[in-house]
């Protein structure tokens, strides 16, 4: 079995590696020559625990080769980004160009799968594109959608053990795609149709966004009501059928803060709760920034001098170095713009250097600051001693019991 993975990013590369480890002869394709060279040298260009050894092994055995262009294979996987445009409309141009790149190689009996998070109808659109360019293939190839579901940081385990949803454009396509994934997936493979599988991925991440919005809304209510939201949620979750997530300084990353827009842009009349959740989670970051600015003004009035402020965390979630779409980063820049005369110490223990912010060691910043703002719940922060000699704005529950 020969397979081509189009896109060697956070999902494409690990999936290509795992498939190669399970006996598939894999060509990993990327438009970035640096990624291709690095991969062929057996070096991992992403941060993912445990994956570097696997990559070395499959490159050394010849099971995985990276390339700038696809080669003739039995199966083709589209694992490219689907960002949104300025108006929150999904941009599927990378899926389309990857599809056009494999078009000349497709032959009878081949499997074509989209893994990229995609708006409803994308698989059908790509099938139409394929058949309009290669009409002789209609009814002769298998086309399916199978979304990835892995959590960065735990990819090796989740790629193999998570259940997968597989939706073909017809039953034969679903069956063919299931056959491929069963080569390395130990979780259950749930057959469906392409539109349902596309919506399923958007639903999973929207569901998380809505649940986090509930926690964030509670945190703002509790702030005004003088209630500790962490205690409240811990107690409410003692009910056997209640499971509230944790509030934070907003929702970041390239999945949960993005995917719901693929629903709201296509169904603006119907998707009201999903749209509200997005705006609550976006608003939470502005709310946090305003709290920081107000605390700084209050400090200046009370002490007759500007405070030193420590902004603790830039990553979009705990214990990672990924700053993309991070609400913490947004809050830091907003606070800096409003109070550019104050000394603001920026802390991110998982990053050694940043091109915009001068980073300070977290212990030093905590010691020096008058106001400490916890934005990301990184584990090392939890060891810092509680003190009431500073103003502490704990937006992510560092000091929760
Ligand atoms: N967050 C909270 N409170 C919580 C949980 C998370 O504020 O209780 C925040 C995080 O701090 C972060 C954001 O939400 O800013 C997203 O973090 P996450 O850990 O919930 O999710 P991601 O973006 O790392 O990965 C998600 C996962 N989806 C679900 O859990 C439903 C993952 O399984 C998907 O594969 C991934 O999106 C994706 O690629 O779509």
């Amino acid at each position: 079995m020969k397979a081509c993975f189009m896109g060697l990013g956070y999902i494409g590369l690990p999936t290509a590696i795992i498939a190669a480890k399970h006996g598939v002869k894999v060509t990993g394709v990327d438009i970035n020559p640096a990624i291709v060279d690095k991969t062929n040298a057996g070096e991992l260009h992403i941060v993912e625990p445990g994956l570097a050894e696997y990559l070395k092994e499959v490159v050394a055995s010849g099971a995985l080769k990276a390339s700038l262009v696809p080669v003739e294979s039995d199966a083709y996987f589209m694992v490219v980004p689907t960002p949104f445009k300025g108006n929150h409309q999904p941009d599927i141009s990378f899926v389309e160009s990857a599809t056009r790149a494999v078009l000349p190689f497709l032959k009878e009996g081949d499997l074509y799968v989209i893994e990229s998070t995609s708006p409803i109808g994308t698989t059908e659109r790509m099938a139409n594109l394929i058949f309009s360019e290669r009409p002789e293939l209609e009814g002769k190839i298998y086309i399916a959608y199978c979304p990835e579901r892995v959590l960065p940081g735990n990819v090796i385990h989740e790629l193999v053990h998570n259940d997968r949803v597989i939706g073909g454009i017809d039953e034969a396509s679903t069956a063919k795609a299931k056959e491929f994934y069963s080569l390395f997936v130990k979780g259950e493979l749930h057959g469906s149709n392409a539109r349902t599988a596309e919506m399923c991925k958007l639903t999973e991440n929207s569901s998380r966004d809505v649940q986090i919005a509930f926690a964030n809304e509670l945190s703002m209510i509790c702030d005004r009501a003088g209630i500790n939201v962490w205690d409240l949620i811990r107690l409410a979750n003692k009910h056997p059928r209640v499971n509230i997530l944790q509030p934070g300084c907003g929702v970041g990353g390239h999945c949960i803060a993005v995917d719901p827009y693929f629903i709201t842009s296509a169904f603006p009349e119907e998707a009201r709760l999903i749209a509200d959740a997005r705006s609550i989670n976006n608003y939470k970051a502005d709310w946090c920034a305003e709290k920081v600015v107000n605390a700084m003004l209050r400090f200046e009035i009370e002490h007759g001098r500007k405070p030193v402020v420590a902004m603790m965390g830039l990553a979009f979630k705990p214990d990672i170095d990924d700053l993309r779409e991070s609400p913490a980063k947004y809050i830091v820049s907003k606070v800096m713009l409003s109070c550019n005369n104050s000394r603001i110490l920026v802390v991110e223990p998982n990053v050694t250097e940043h091109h915009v912010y001068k980073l300070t060691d977290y212990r030093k910043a905590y010691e020096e600051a008058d106001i400490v703002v916890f934005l990301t719940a990184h584990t090392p922060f939890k060891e810092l001693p509680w003190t009431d000699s500073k103003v502490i704005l704990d937006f992510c529950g560092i000091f929760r019991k």
Side-chain angles (χ1 to χ4, degrees), residues 11 117 148-152 158 162 201 203-209 212 215-216 244-257 259 281 315-318 320 325-327 376:
I11 304 300
T117 302
E148 59 82 12
R149 294 175 136 173
V150 294
L151 200 67
E158 295 206 358
N162 286 359
K201 169 71 185 183
T203 301
E204 289 160 15
N205 282 352
S206 299
S207 151
R208 197 152 168 89
D209 200 39
I212 298 169
N216 277 333
I244 304 168
L245 292 181
Q246 302 301 315
C249 68
V251 168
H254 12 276
C255 311
I256 293 182
D259 300 356
N281 287 333
F316 85 83
K317 67 178 191 178
I320 59 164
E325 312 290 330
S326 167
T376 312

Side-chain angles (χ1 to χ4, degrees), residues 217-227 287 291:
E217 184 163 291
L218 283 178
S219 72
M220 294 184 279
I221 295 169
C222 285
D223 183 72
R224 285 198 56 189
I227 293 168
W287 184 90
K291 283 264 166 203

Side-chain angles (χ1 to χ4, degrees), residues 226-238:
I227 293 168
N228 179 318
V229 69
W230 314 101
D231 281 349
L232 171 81
I233 291 175
R234 183 177 53 81
L235 295 171
N237 283 348
K238 297 287 177 205

Side-chain angles (χ1 to χ4, degrees), residues 94-388:
F94 296 115
V95 176
E96 190 174 327
S97 55
T99 304
R100 287 191 186 277
V102 304
L103 250 173
F105 298 96
L106 291 174
K107 60 182 185 314
E108 188 173 343
D110 281 354
L111 171 67
Y112 163 97
V113 176
I114 303 176
E115 281 209 10
S116 310
T117 302
S118 300
I120 299 168
T122 303
T123 311
E124 286 162 2
R125 272 178 70 179
M126 292 305 117
N128 289 340
L129 171 76
I130 292 169
F131 298 140
S132 68
E133 301 278 327
R134 303 278 313 272
E136 77 281 10
L137 291 176
E138 189 143 10
K140 305 259 171 60
I141 61 166
Y142 304 99
I143 296 181
Y145 183 75
C146 178
E148 59 82 12
R149 294 175 136 173
V150 294
L151 200 67
N154 195 26
V155 164
I156 296 183
H157 176 83
E158 295 206 358
L159 261 181
V160 174
H161 295 279
N162 286 359
D163 284 13
R164 300 288 291 245
V165 176
I166 299 178
I169 55 164
D170 48 38
E171 281 179 16
S173 295
T174 307
K176 186 79 177 177
K178 270 183 158 181
E179 206 180 287
F180 177 83
Y181 282 99
S182 67
L183 292 175
F184 62 92
V185 175
K186 294 206 175 84
E188 221 176 300
L189 301 172
H190 304 272
S192 179
N193 57 57
R195 291 175 79 83
T196 308
E198 287 160 348
M199 183 58 176
C200 191
K201 169 71 185 183
L202 304 179
T203 301
E204 289 160 15
N205 282 352
S206 299
S207 151
R208 197 152 168 89
D209 200 39
V210 168
Q211 291 178 59
I212 298 169
F214 182 64
N216 277 333
E217 184 163 291
L218 283 178
S219 72
M220 294 184 279
I221 295 169
C222 285
D223 183 72
R224 285 198 56 189
I227 293 168
N228 179 318
V229 69
W230 314 101
D231 281 349
L232 171 81
I233 291 175
R234 183 177 53 81
L235 295 171
N237 283 348
K238 297 287 177 205
H239 185 291
R241 285 172 297 283
V242 173
N243 188 12
I244 304 168
L245 292 181
Q246 302 301 315
C249 68
V251 168
H254 12 276
C255 311
I256 293 182
V258 174
D259 300 356
Y261 291 121
F262 287 20
I263 301 179
T264 57
S265 62
F267 306 96
E269 300 287 317
E270 296 82 3
R272 289 185 291 170
L273 180 61
I274 297 171
D276 278 349
R278 268 299 55 242
S279 41
I280 291 166
N281 287 333
N282 286 337
Y283 173 65
K284 184 67 194 287
D286 288 307
W287 184 90
C288 292
E290 204 179 304
K291 283 264 166 203
V292 179
V293 173
N294 286 343
M296 290 168 78
L297 293 173
R298 203 172 310 120
F299 184 95
E300 198 175 338
I301 292 166
E302 284 169 11
H303 295 80
R305 66 173 174 89
K306 288 192 184 296
V308 177
V309 183
M311 302 295 274
M312 309 289 280
L314 281 178
F316 85 83
K317 67 178 191 178
D319 300 328
I320 59 164
D321 65 347
D322 192 340
L323 312 187
R324 288 175 295 171
E325 312 290 330
S326 167
K329 206 172 66 177
Y330 169 82
I331 293 166
V332 170
S333 64
K334 235 185 144 180
V335 169
M336 280 184 159
L337 281 175
S338 335
C339 309
N340 55 4
N341 292 325
S342 292
R343 215 173 132 227
I344 296 174
L345 309 173
V346 180
V347 169
E348 179 41 72
N350 299 310
V351 173
T352 40
E353 223 172 298
H354 191 265
H355 60 291
V356 176
Y357 303 116
K358 181 178 175 291
L359 300 175
T360 304
D361 173 73
Y362 73 96
R363 294 181 216 87
K364 187 166 179 276
Y366 188 70
E367 207 177 289
E368 281 184 26
D370 303 301
I371 299 178
V372 183
V373 184
F374 286 105
L375 297 168
T376 312
H378 291 311
T379 305
F381 296 168
K382 297 183 180 159
E383 288 150 22
L384 292 166
W386 165 259
T387 170
D388 42 23

